[in-house]
Amino acid sequence: MNVKMVANCSLRLRCLRYLSTTPARAFASSSSSVRKPALQDQLDTGPSFADFLQTTGGDQRTMGSLEGSRPRTAMVGPKGREKRITRLPDWLVTPVPVGDNFKKIKKDLRGLNLHTVCEEARCPNISDCWGGSDKAAATATIMLMGDTCTRGCRFCAVKTSKAPPALDPHEPEHTAEALARWGLGYVVLTAVDRDDLADGGAGHFAETVRKIKFKAPGMRVEALTGDFAGDAEMVRLVAQSGLDVYAHNIETVEVLTPMVRDRRANFRQSVSVLRAAKEARPGLITKTSIMLGLGETEEQVWHALRELRSVDVDVVTFGQYMRPTKRHMAVVEYVPPAVFQAWRERALGLGFLYCASGPLVRSSYKAGEAFIENVLRRRAGGVGVPLL
């Protein structure tokens, strides 16, 4: 910056300070456009941070480009103490968790000191997955290695710490015992990231799978893992532990990954994890999930899907990003159900084995698990319902 530019900047700053401290009547003879309120209006209506995240060229339509998809706000509360809230679209309203089965599952989890991603991540489907009258149809996603993560992704409600508590050596046994007691046909295991451990927790993950398969040989096990810092050997350890489905979420499109996920995670590393799992066991079903509503464009989602198919990923799910708290990144848009249906059809057209897509769909979604369980049964030569 040269001397002339510095002088101009200093002059503008002095002018703005003068305008903000001088009474408006002193400028009655001049144009009203120079007054502070008018200047503030121009700033308020200017571009937002989200505008600078858009790429140039290509199709710039976002997922929820239909009318009414942008977040709506309203003022509530008594006069003088109103507060602004965000109103969810009707398709995102879920019932309060109730039911005897819901209470039983929660009691069992607390008794064995187990954690679920259903609770820690505040999943909107917890009533649907836990509250059914049929125990065998209930789904609970167990979160291993405690409830504290070493990473801090901007979309996630799980607690974070650089030094979380030590692993519970009895957790694999307790988890297997609880699942065998419930008699579930399909279970999802996930875990917090543990960058503080030499193996990222891969050994703990694999041991839990082996314990479950020993106590309940007929139970289908899906493992939703972290990226193990890109260590293919750790991915192979888990993939060869006896599980049926290996899942790892890319979370969002490549362009938005630096703004959405922890700096130690990246799109290419996640794709490499899915590739390593498939290479470790070619017949293993691999699965991933993408959140919509973060400001992604259609072309960016197409790109992500093509990258996933290039490493032979079998299953993909799409769900609406829901802001856990005000400390997390804001929702850019609420994507209408019709757009989710369109992406389901596009994913199947690219060759994915299955795609669950909807505003309330999460990576551990029981409708998708039922489908995958049916595929596994048919591959094993058992009786299955005809696939759609």
Side-chain angles (χ1 to χ4, degrees):
M1 182 179 291
N2 57 36
V3 175
K4 184 176 180 181
M5 292 176 67
V6 172
N8 287 338
C9 290
S10 300
L11 178 60
R12 290 176 183 174
L13 286 172
R14 288 198 297 272
C15 288
L16 287 174
R17 290 171 184 159
Y18 183 74
L19 289 173
S20 64
T21 57
T22 305
R25 62 178 179 272
F27 295 91
S29 61
S30 62
S31 172
S32 61
S33 63
V34 299
R35 295 178 180 174
K36 183 182 177 182
L39 176 61
Q40 189 64 51
D41 288 343
Q42 292 181 33
L43 293 174
D44 292 341
T45 58
S48 66
F49 177 69
D51 295 321
F52 295 95
L53 298 182
Q54 302 298 325
T55 56
T56 57
D59 189 347
Q60 297 302 313
R61 291 175 296 170
T62 54
M63 299 303 97
S65 56
L66 301 180
E67 183 178 0
S69 64
R70 295 288 176 177
R72 295 175 298 135
T73 61
M75 300 299 294
V76 298
K79 187 175 181 180
R81 291 186 295 169
E82 298 94 342
K83 63 178 182 178
R84 186 178 300 277
I85 64 169
T86 299
R87 291 198 180 278
L88 295 177
D90 294 339
W91 61 78
L92 289 175
V93 177
T94 57
V96 176
V98 293
D100 293 338
N101 207 44
F102 174 86
K103 297 175 183 177
K104 182 183 184 303
I105 290 178
K106 190 163 188 174
K107 181 179 179 180
D108 285 348
L109 289 167
R110 297 295 81 80
L112 290 171
N113 194 31
L114 299 178
H115 304 277
T116 69
V117 73
C118 318
E119 297 172 290
E120 300 297 335
R122 305 183 185 185
C123 179
N125 295 315
I126 193 168
S127 177
D128 187 29
C129 292
W130 287 21
S133 58
D134 182 5
K135 187 178 88 168
T139 300
T141 302
I142 303 298
M143 188 161 71
L144 304 175
M145 299 187 277
D147 62 352
T148 306
C149 186
T150 54
R151 298 189 183 182
C153 296
R154 295 185 62 204
F155 65 88
C156 185
V158 176
K159 293 185 294 185
T160 63
S161 172
K162 292 182 179 179
L167 297 183
D168 177 4
H170 302 295
E171 185 177 50
E173 181 71 24
H174 285 169
T175 301
E177 182 64 33
L179 295 175
R181 181 191 306 170
W182 291 338
L184 304 179
Y186 191 107
V187 63
V188 180
L189 302 176
T190 189
V192 292
D193 282 295
R194 293 298 300 261
D195 298 290
D196 59 314
L197 303 175
D199 67 349
H204 194 85
F205 231 128
E207 178 64 16
T208 304
V209 175
R210 287 192 287 264
K211 291 282 188 182
I212 293 172
K213 287 293 187 178
F214 177 77
K215 289 181 177 291
M219 185 177 294
R220 304 297 184 183
V221 180
E222 174 182 324
L224 173 58
T225 78
D227 57 24
F228 302 117
D231 190 333
E233 287 300 317
M234 297 303 101
V235 175
R236 185 174 296 107
L237 175 64
V238 178
Q240 296 178 344
S241 64
L243 54 79
D244 300 285
V245 179
Y246 194 110
H248 172 68
N249 293 340
I250 62 170
E251 307 294 4
T252 187
V253 297
E254 185 169 13
V255 173
L256 295 181
T257 296
M259 281 74 74
V260 175
R261 303 175 68 186
D262 184 274
R263 59 180 176 78
R264 287 162 287 188
N266 66 74
F267 183 87
R268 291 294 157 188
Q269 185 165 276
S270 289
V271 171
S272 72
V273 167
L274 294 164
R275 178 192 296 110
K278 183 70 76 172
E279 290 174 349
R281 280 181 56 197
L284 183 65
I285 292 178
T286 51
K287 175 182 175 182
T288 195
S289 183
I290 301 173
M291 296 180 291
L292 301 183
L294 293 165
E296 63 284 332
T297 66
E298 289 192 8
E299 182 52 43
Q300 289 165 1
V301 178
W302 274 117
H303 169 263
L305 291 177
R306 295 187 188 102
E307 290 295 313
L308 293 171
R309 285 304 299 142
S310 72
V311 295
D312 203 21
V313 171
D314 301 293
V315 178
V316 63
T317 67
F318 291 100
Q320 170 69 50
Y321 165 62
M322 302 285 283
R323 188 183 194 182
T325 71
K326 291 182 178 180
R327 294 182 290 105
H328 294 83
M329 63 186 305
V331 175
V332 174
E333 55 193 339
Y334 290 115
V335 180
V339 177
F340 280 101
Q341 178 59 27
W343 279 114
R344 178 182 180 276
E345 295 171 359
R346 292 166 180 173
L348 294 176
L350 284 178
F352 284 94
L353 176 67
Y354 179 76
C355 175
S357 182
L360 294 176
V361 168
R362 294 298 179 263
S363 58
S364 302
Y365 190 63
K366 71 177 185 178
E369 290 154 15
F371 183 93
I372 295 171
E373 184 180 3
N374 194 40
V375 171
L376 292 169
R377 189 181 298 115
R378 289 171 64 90
R379 287 185 177 182
V383 178
V385 179
L387 304 179
L388 298 178

